[in-house]
Amino acid sequence: MEKVIDGEKLNVPNHVAIILDGNGRWAKKRLMPRNYGHKAGAKTLEKVCDDAKELGIKYLTVYAFSTENWKRSVEEVSGIMNILRDYLADCIKWADEKNMRIRIIGDRTALDADIVEKIEEAERVSKIYDGLNFTIAINYGGRDDIRRGVKKLISDVNSGKINEEISEDLISSYLDTADIPDPDLLIRTSGEERLSNFLIWQLAYTEFYFTDCLWPDFNMNELKKAVRYYNGRDRRYGGVK
Ligand code: FPP
C-alpha cells in the first residue's frame, strides 16, 4: 500500500515480521541484568505496534520466545514469562483502544495454564478488531510448526476428512499462520543474520532486512529505514503484492 509519511512516499509492506534480538546486550551495556533488557524490549514493542499501525502495516508478527529459548537460565525464562504475562494482560486492555487483533502462534501446550488462559482471552476479545493484526510467537519454532501441521494433516487424511491432492496451500492451511498472509518483509535487529527457526515455510519469498540496532533502541525511524530498504528491492519472485 502506498502512503505519504512526512512528505515521503512509501510503499508499505502488508506484513512485517520481526526477530526481536539484542535485549541482553542492551542490558549488558548498562551493567544491568538481562531481564532489564527484556522489559525495555517489551516497552519498545508496544511503541512499535503503534508505529506500524501509523505506517499502515496491516500485519505485524514478532518472535518473542522460541522453542530453543527454554535452554536459557531458569531465572531468565521465568523473567520472560512474567513479562509475557503482563504484556498479554496489557494487550487485552489495548485491543479496543488500538483496534488491534491479537494472535499467538507456537505450541502453547508447554506454557503455564494462566498464560494459556490469557492467550485465549486476548484472542477472543480482539477477534472483532482489524486495525493491526498483531501476532506474537511464543514457544514457536518453524520446524515444530511444520511438524505439528504434518501430524494433524496425516490424522485428517487417515480419518477421510482430507482426500485432495497435498498442495502447498493445503500445507499452509495446517500451519499456525493459517489465516494470515506470508510476510513481505523480515527485520532482524542486533546485527545477527540468521533465521533462528522463525517462520521457515512462510518466509520463502520475503525480503530480509538486518540492522545493528539493538531491539530496545528500535523505533519509528528504524522502521522507516527498513521500509525504505524494502522499497528499493525488486520483488520479482513469488508472492509479489
Ligand atoms: C532477544 O534478545 C529477546 C528474547 C529472546 C526475549 C523475548 C523478547 C521480549 C521479552 C521482548 C518483548 C516481547 C513481548 C511479546 C512482551 P536476546 O536475549 O537474544 O539478546 P542478546 O542476543 O543481546 O543476548
Side-chain angles (χ1 to χ4, degrees):
M1 185 192 58
E2 212 159 76
K3 204 157 174 194
V4 179
I5 318 266
D6 297 331
E8 182 184 8
K9 208 190 275 176
L10 284 174
N11 174 22
V12 178
N14 184 48
H15 183 175
V16 175
I18 310 182
I19 301 178
L20 316 170
D21 198 5
N23 293 346
R25 276 163 282 171
W26 185 90
K28 197 172 174 200
K29 271 183 21 189
R30 287 160 180 77
L31 308 175
M32 294 298 279
R34 297 179 59 80
N35 283 330
Y36 179 78
H38 296 319
K39 262 197 196 128
K43 267 259 145 277
T44 297
L45 185 58
E46 178 187 345
K47 180 72 180 47
V48 169
C49 280
D50 294 340
D51 295 341
K53 194 167 152 228
E54 196 184 324
L55 282 188
I57 291 167
K58 292 299 291 178
Y59 292 84
L60 180 70
T61 301
V62 300
Y63 205 10
F65 194 86
S66 73
T67 47
E68 288 77 29
N69 283 153
W70 296 107
K71 293 186 198 127
R72 296 190 177 197
S73 73
V74 175
E75 192 194 354
E76 184 172 355
V77 169
S78 75
I80 294 175
M81 288 300 154
N82 282 334
I83 293 169
L84 283 171
R85 275 186 178 89
D86 291 347
Y87 203 82
L88 287 165
D90 285 340
C91 279
I92 293 166
K93 282 188 266 159
W94 294 329
D96 178 61
E97 148 196 344
K98 295 180 189 272
N99 188 21
M100 182 167 89
R101 177 162 181 184
I102 297 133
R103 293 178 180 85
I104 308 300
I105 55 171
D107 181 4
R108 44 185 92 167
T109 59
L111 302 174
D112 286 352
D114 70 299
I115 296 187
V116 177
E117 270 168 38
K118 282 202 173 72
I119 288 174
E120 287 169 355
E121 188 184 349
E123 290 185 330
R124 191 178 60 247
V125 303
S126 70
K127 252 196 171 82
I128 52 171
Y129 302 110
D130 61 0
L132 176 72
N133 287 275
F134 177 48
T135 301
I136 312 175
I138 305 176
N139 192 27
Y140 180 86
R143 289 184 176 182
D144 187 59
D145 189 3
I146 294 169
R147 180 191 67 80
R148 285 182 288 106
V150 166
K151 206 171 145 188
K152 179 142 196 306
L153 178 54
I154 289 174
S155 139
D156 285 352
V157 167
N158 287 343
S159 72
K161 197 173 156 197
I162 293 287
N163 54 15
E164 65 196 72
E165 189 59 33
I166 306 296
S167 64
E168 292 184 7
D169 284 347
L170 183 70
I171 294 175
S172 293
S173 75
Y174 274 80
L175 301 180
D176 290 345
T177 47
D179 62 341
I180 52 182
D182 289 343
D184 302 288
L185 172 67
L186 170 83
I187 300 172
R188 182 165 188 157
T189 56
S190 93
E192 308 298 338
E193 302 191 356
R194 295 186 294 277
L195 263 190
S196 300
N197 202 13
F198 189 39
L199 301 174
I200 51 176
W201 171 277
Q202 299 86 339
L203 292 169
Y205 297 106
T206 305
E207 296 292 341
F208 290 5
Y209 174 80
F210 301 106
T211 170
D212 287 338
C213 175
L214 301 176
W215 174 251
D217 292 327
F218 200 84
N219 56 22
M220 177 60 127
N221 198 27
E222 296 293 332
L223 184 60
K224 278 193 197 161
K225 278 195 221 165
V227 172
R228 278 187 209 114
Y229 169 84
Y230 171 80
N231 282 197
R233 306 301 301 162
D234 180 7
R235 282 171 59 70
R236 277 170 299 174
Y237 304 104
V240 180
K241 302 283 168 342

